[in-house]
Amino acid sequence: MFQNQLLRYARLCGRRLYSQYLTNDCRASIDTVSSPRILITGSLGQLGVEVARFFRNIYGRENVIMSDIIKPSREVCDEGPYIFADILDFKGLQEIVVTHRIDWLIHFSALLSAIGEQNVPLAIRVNIEGIHNVIELAKQYKLKLFIPSTIGAFGPESPRNPTPNVTIQRPKTIYGVSKVHAELLGEYYFHRYGLDFRCLRFPGVISSDPPGGGTTVFCIVSVFFQYRTGKFECYLRPDTRLPMMYIKDCLRALWEYMETPAEKLKRRVYNVTAMSFTPEELAAVISKHVPEIKVTYRPDSRQLIADAWPQVFDDSSAREDWSWQHQYDMDCLVTEMIKDILEHYIQNPGSIEQTFIS
């Protein structure tokens, strides 16, 4: 009885810390018997690596398999299983699911907003054809399938403040179009075939990892440069308000959503968010840590993308249906970001500067 209570507590907390209180038998039950086998596609992107680490702490190192078409770093390989997986190769995906006995498929493979506009044909292949493959794969093998969506799934005709869970969606980027396509196709497969499809519309997700070509990465870029040099040229107007979420809230939202019993879900696609702010408001908070900061503004093509996106996200459905609650506000976000930057990048600034500028 006591072991069962500890097991439940460890799952709820999702942290390795609590495993020290479990017996070997109970810990084994977490890693093998009761844990899903999870495949993460596109796992070398911003979210994939963090999700893999988070889920491995909960379900066990060997139960979470990272995959991508990119050669991984030694650090990634040392942390757990990593395999090559091309989402455009359906037979290859079938082999992976069968060989590794996959139960959950978390599909992150995608070209983000700014990058997708630079190569629309490739974005269509990766973001749309890839979706067709993973949805059909999940149907065939009865997998629980998660595909993230985004604020980019809305457009200028959508209400922007607030943007409700169900409203008009007319995105003006191929990234946004592909996400609406994924939402609708996943819901169709749920109603038509009973597929356990789940989707969260994330806002800008902020972490200290190098960005992957999205429009909302001004946050981490600005925190880094303002802390290190005291200045930053922002590519958005100072009054551009966008919804945001710290990576730790994002990971917890995904985990809690995936663990929610299907009967509690009133829909298959949910908005989730934590806060909304402008570059100007962000600079004001950073100035508490770096009083000498100087921010200039030179909007570029990303401004047009941001102008079509929600300013404030209404995630009341997620809060009501599966008790979603965020933990990080803007002050906490900046504090955590500066802590991460000091720890990981200040000693070797050249690598991150090259990533941000290129």
Side-chain angles (χ1 to χ4, degrees):
M1 178 66 178
F2 180 62
Q3 283 190 348
N4 289 338
Q5 290 175 332
L6 285 174
L7 174 59
R8 182 173 182 273
Y9 189 54
R11 282 194 175 281
L12 287 173
C13 294
R15 293 184 175 90
R16 192 190 305 266
L17 173 65
Y18 298 98
S19 67
Q20 64 183 299
Y21 300 108
L22 304 178
T23 66
N24 290 335
D25 289 341
C26 190
R27 187 178 297 110
S29 70
I30 293 178
D31 290 346
T32 58
V33 176
S34 61
S35 295
R37 296 276 294 174
I38 303 169
L39 174 67
I40 305 175
T41 66
S43 65
L44 294 187
Q46 179 192 21
L47 286 181
V49 174
E50 296 293 344
V51 168
R53 289 170 180 162
F54 186 84
F55 277 25
R56 282 169 176 166
N57 282 342
I58 301 169
Y59 301 119
R61 180 178 182 271
E62 298 302 318
N63 286 318
V64 180
I65 301 170
M66 297 178 64
S67 71
D68 213 313
I69 60 172
I70 303 171
K71 183 179 179 180
S73 66
R74 180 170 294 278
E75 179 185 14
V76 167
C77 290
D78 289 343
E79 289 182 357
Y82 179 92
I83 60 176
F84 175 90
D86 182 353
I87 60 167
L88 299 179
D89 177 9
F90 186 75
K91 289 186 68 65
L93 293 174
Q94 287 179 305
E95 182 178 355
I96 290 170
V97 168
V98 172
T99 302
H100 295 277
R101 298 176 290 106
I102 300 301
D103 302 302
W104 293 7
L105 176 54
I106 298 177
H107 180 63
F108 285 139
S109 294
L111 296 188
L112 300 184
S113 55
I115 300 298
E117 292 306 296
Q118 297 172 19
N119 194 337
V120 173
L122 181 60
I124 289 174
R125 292 198 68 207
V126 174
N127 294 8
I128 296 180
E129 292 181 30
I131 290 292
H132 293 176
N133 280 343
V134 297
I135 287 182
E136 184 59 32
L137 187 75
K139 166 182 166 285
Q140 181 175 340
Y141 291 100
K142 296 180 172 55
L143 310 179
K144 182 183 289 188
L145 173 64
F146 177 82
I147 300 177
S149 191
T150 166
I151 55 174
F154 299 96
E157 292 90 353
S158 306
R160 301 186 67 207
N161 188 359
T163 303
N165 211 96
V166 179
T167 188
I168 186 171
Q169 294 177 253
R170 305 284 292 181
K172 296 298 186 281
T173 66
I174 190 59
Y175 178 61
V177 169
S178 68
K179 287 303 183 182
V180 174
H181 179 79
E183 291 178 15
L184 295 177
L185 193 61
E187 288 183 333
Y188 171 79
Y189 269 67
F190 166 69
H191 292 294
R192 178 69 174 82
Y193 301 109
L195 172 66
D196 192 351
F197 167 76
R198 304 187 183 207
C199 177
L200 293 178
R201 294 192 191 110
F202 289 122
V205 177
I206 307 304
S207 77
S208 58
D209 288 335
T215 299
T216 58
V217 298
F218 77 88
C219 183
I220 168 57
V221 180
S222 63
V223 172
F224 175 80
F225 278 103
Q226 290 176 44
Y227 191 87
R228 183 170 183 269
T229 69
K231 61 184 179 179
F232 171 65
E233 182 176 271
C234 182
Y235 51 77
L236 299 178
R237 290 192 314 268
D239 62 346
T240 305
R241 183 170 302 280
L242 291 169
M244 298 286 182
M245 172 183 278
Y246 187 47
I247 182 67
K248 291 183 180 179
D249 273 339
C250 173
L251 297 174
R252 187 170 50 82
L254 171 55
W255 173 59
E256 290 178 0
Y257 183 44
M258 293 297 283
E259 285 282 6
T260 299
E263 59 270 18
K264 287 190 175 183
L265 302 177
K266 297 179 181 178
R267 61 184 78 248
R268 288 286 148 171
V269 181
Y270 287 91
N271 295 349
V272 288
T273 191
M275 68 198 92
S276 288
F277 56 78
T278 68
E280 190 172 46
E281 291 169 347
L282 176 65
V285 174
I286 297 174
S287 69
K288 299 176 184 178
H289 302 266
V290 191
E292 66 276 12
I293 66 169
K294 179 181 179 181
V295 185
T296 57
Y297 299 92
R298 183 183 294 179
D300 61 18
S301 60
R302 286 168 284 194
Q303 183 67 56
L304 298 176
I305 296 175
D307 285 342
W309 283 357
Q311 295 177 327
V312 176
F313 232 13
D314 177 4
D315 62 357
S316 56
S317 292
R319 294 174 188 269
E320 292 170 3
D321 292 357
W322 44 278
S323 303
W324 159 243
Q325 293 289 334
H326 71 277
Q327 294 180 351
Y328 289 83
D329 59 15
M330 185 164 57
D331 288 321
C332 292
L333 181 149
V334 171
T335 299
E336 288 290 312
M337 292 291 293
I338 288 177
K339 177 183 175 182
D340 286 347
I341 287 168
L342 283 172
E343 182 177 350
H344 296 109
Y345 297 121
I346 293 300
Q347 300 301 321
N348 185 24
S351 61
I352 193 170
E353 287 182 4
Q354 183 178 5
T355 300
F356 288 142
I357 293 172
S358 60

